[in-house]
Amino acid sequence: MTDKLAEFLDNSFTAYHAAENAAALLLKNGFVPLSETEDWSLAEGGKYFVVRGGSAIVAFTVNGLDRFAFRIVASHTDSPALKIKENAVEMTGPYARLNAETYGGGLWYTFFDRPLKIAGRLVVKEDGEIRTRTAESDFFVSVPSLAVHMNRGVNDGFAVNAQTDLQPLLGLFPDGAPDFPALLSDKEILSYDLFLVNAQPAYTFGANGEFLASPRIDNLTSVYSSLEALLAQGESGGICVAACLDNEEVGSRTMQGAGGDFLENVLRRIAYALKFDDSEYYKALASSFFISLDNGHALHPNHPEKCDPTNRPVPGGGVVIKTHANKAYTTDALSSAVVKEIFSRAGVKYQTFFNRSDMPSGGTLGAISSGHVGVLSADLGIAQLAMHSACECFARSDYDELVSGLTAYYSSDILFTEEGIKLR
């Protein structure tokens, strides 16, 4: 099952590419594109998607409407990278370098000596209009390390300086600075959102080929698994939603991120288009479920001391259910129980993740989304190694478990009663 995932990882260099590739997959499977600037006409049995900002996409299916509620899976399309500034070219002798800044909390030393592509979106003037186009270079650039002979203490500790150490080498231009970003397009370029991303293809490793390594595993495994599950869902009621949002790595507080109103607006417009009033919409939210899907840390083979002593998720152990006392994750006892019951019925393996009590926790988009869409929620993901590295890895079998678990979730009716929650 990971072959298609690997192809998605290889071709989704940035959030813009991920959203574009997701839209192509949905169109291929009969989903109808919607626009936020136009009226929506929805029908029971219909499949739809809408894109915002070119980098976030929300897809949904309209199932039986005798029970109006939402089953949502939310993930993010962005990953740590180097973002190219304007007036980017800086010359040092014949060397042309690109002036870049860090995007997100990357493990920056892993970006050295890699085949990097320039990728993202161009804003161009075409036929009298301002238009956006995804783009990627047909050549590589690289950030060369400083030789150990010139930095004798590097193996005793090295702090990466973003301004001096992470400026990639574009090429040799002895006659002067090249015209950038005209190297990427023959259109009239007005502006750009361009990144330097690892172009290394996904590969398997391990004696039994049990691991998949690739750039952007966090969090495109979540994006693609939610789409695969949405396509594979069985018969059920309500609205199934796969929300693939942008900018989680920098706090989500953008119009296309979980801190914006994109998901909330889509849910409200679904209700409006299906002729449900505000009261019915709020009742639907109270009867809905939300999965915040973002990867977690696996037990590290070289540093087991960094893991919680009694909750130690391992590659191959199944889907991770993540919990945090101070609500970096949204899971509570009730939402955890719902997920465990759905997975158990489907024969899906799962395991639990808690941070060490003396270590701070990373966050996900779930807690931010809950400020806009108040729904019972759980945080899930795959246990991975090397999170935020230029190349991450996980156990391939866990991806299969995740897709099976999400498919079972989309195929279940979660009924909220006076006594509790009933699954069918």
Side-chain angles (χ1 to χ4, degrees), residues 312-331:
R312 302 165 76 83
V314 295
V319 181
V320 171
I321 302 173
K322 303 188 292 183
T323 306
H324 188 252
N326 294 310
K327 295 303 178 183
Y329 310 128
T330 60
T331 313

Side-chain angles (χ1 to χ4, degrees), residues 357-372:
S357 302
D358 56 359
M359 293 182 68
S361 174
T364 68
L365 51 77
I368 296 171
S369 294
S370 64
H372 298 267

Side-chain angles (χ1 to χ4, degrees), residues 259-303:
D261 61 359
F262 186 29
L263 176 58
E264 179 185 11
N265 283 3
V266 170
L267 300 185
R268 285 185 175 276
R269 292 192 66 172
I270 290 171
Y272 181 82
L274 295 174
K275 312 302 182 186
F276 291 107
D277 61 22
D278 283 350
S279 177
E280 290 168 311
Y281 171 73
Y282 291 125
K283 287 191 294 183
L285 288 185
S287 302
S288 297
F289 200 93
F290 186 106
I291 289 177
S292 171
L293 195 62
D294 202 348
N295 290 350
H297 302 290
L299 174 71
H300 198 287
N302 299 331
H303 292 282

Side-chain angles (χ1 to χ4, degrees), residues 156-179:
D156 299 321
F158 171 53
V160 178
N161 183 292
Q163 187 62 63
T164 59
D165 295 319
L166 289 175
Q167 307 309 297
L169 180 58
L170 177 63
L172 292 172
F173 293 89
D175 295 328
D179 184 7

Side-chain angles (χ1 to χ4, degrees), residues 186-201:
D186 58 2
K187 305 289 185 183
E188 181 183 353
I189 299 172
L190 302 177
S191 191
Y192 55 80
D193 289 302
L194 292 173
F195 298 82
L196 295 143
V197 299
N198 185 9
Q200 183 177 358

Side-chain angles (χ1 to χ4, degrees), residues 362-407:
T364 68
L365 51 77
I368 296 171
S369 294
S370 64
H372 298 267
V373 181
V375 176
L376 183 63
S377 178
D379 268 82
L380 311 181
I382 289 176
Q384 72 164 84
L385 296 169
M387 186 176 289
H388 287 196
S389 170
C391 188
E392 305 163 315
C393 66
F394 68 97
R396 297 167 65 196
S397 63
D398 286 338
Y399 181 79
D400 297 342
E401 295 288 337
L402 179 60
V403 173
S404 296
L406 295 178
T407 303

